[in-house]
Amino acid sequence: DKKALLALKQPNCCKLRLMAAESKKEEFRKYLEKSGVIDALTKVLVALYEEPEKPANALDFIKQYLGAPSSSEVEAMRNDNEDLKKKSEELTNQIDDLQQKLKEAKTAAAEAPPS
């Protein structure tokens, strides 16, 4: 009797899991639609389809179409970032040196006899 009851319960349990999974899928699809992802992907795929000469790298085409920077642009930004970090460090050191000189000048002025 117990085994028979368990067997009857399992299909319902599986059905509930399946319904929950379908519900999650539908919820996710609605999220993608609402956020514009489906529309953007449709447009980029149509553009790729209508491209007279198919690009060698479809993924790069999609990235470029969606506005992602190219590899060379990313490399240029990295180089600029490194240059700016170095410049920032140089300027910070220059500020520290000038603050030290100012402090020394103030000390010297305070110790100098009045004229």
Side-chain angles (χ1 to χ4, degrees):
D1 270 337
K2 242 181 180 182
K3 286 183 183 180
L5 284 175
L6 267 173
L8 287 173
K9 287 183 180 179
Q10 279 183 342
N12 287 338
C13 179
C14 293
K15 286 179 188 176
L16 288 176
R17 281 192 214 145
L18 183 60
M19 288 173 53
E22 289 298 321
S23 175
K24 276 187 165 185
K25 285 180 188 178
E26 182 62 19
E27 194 176 306
F28 186 66
R29 188 195 61 74
K30 286 179 183 177
Y31 161 74
L32 292 176
E33 190 173 336
K34 183 178 178 183
S35 63
V37 172
I38 291 176
D39 188 45
L41 288 175
T42 301
K43 286 179 182 176
V44 72
L45 292 174
V46 167
L48 181 59
Y49 176 78
E50 292 176 348
E51 192 70 23
E53 290 188 32
K54 302 299 180 229
N57 189 328
L59 189 56
D60 283 345
F61 175 89
I62 291 169
K63 287 178 184 178
Q64 183 181 13
Y65 187 92
L66 293 174
S70 67
S71 297
S72 60
E73 290 172 323
V74 170
E75 187 60 33
M77 285 187 268
R78 283 191 180 126
N79 291 336
D80 288 347
N81 189 27
E82 286 301 315
D83 292 345
L84 291 170
K85 284 180 181 178
K86 288 176 187 174
K87 184 68 175 174
S88 175
E89 187 177 343
E90 290 170 8
L91 291 172
T92 300
N93 290 338
Q94 189 177 5
I95 288 170
D96 291 343
D97 290 345
L98 291 171
Q99 286 176 334
Q100 182 63 33
K101 287 179 183 178
L102 179 61
K103 183 179 177 182
E104 290 169 4
K106 283 181 179 180
T107 303
E111 294 173 354
S115 30

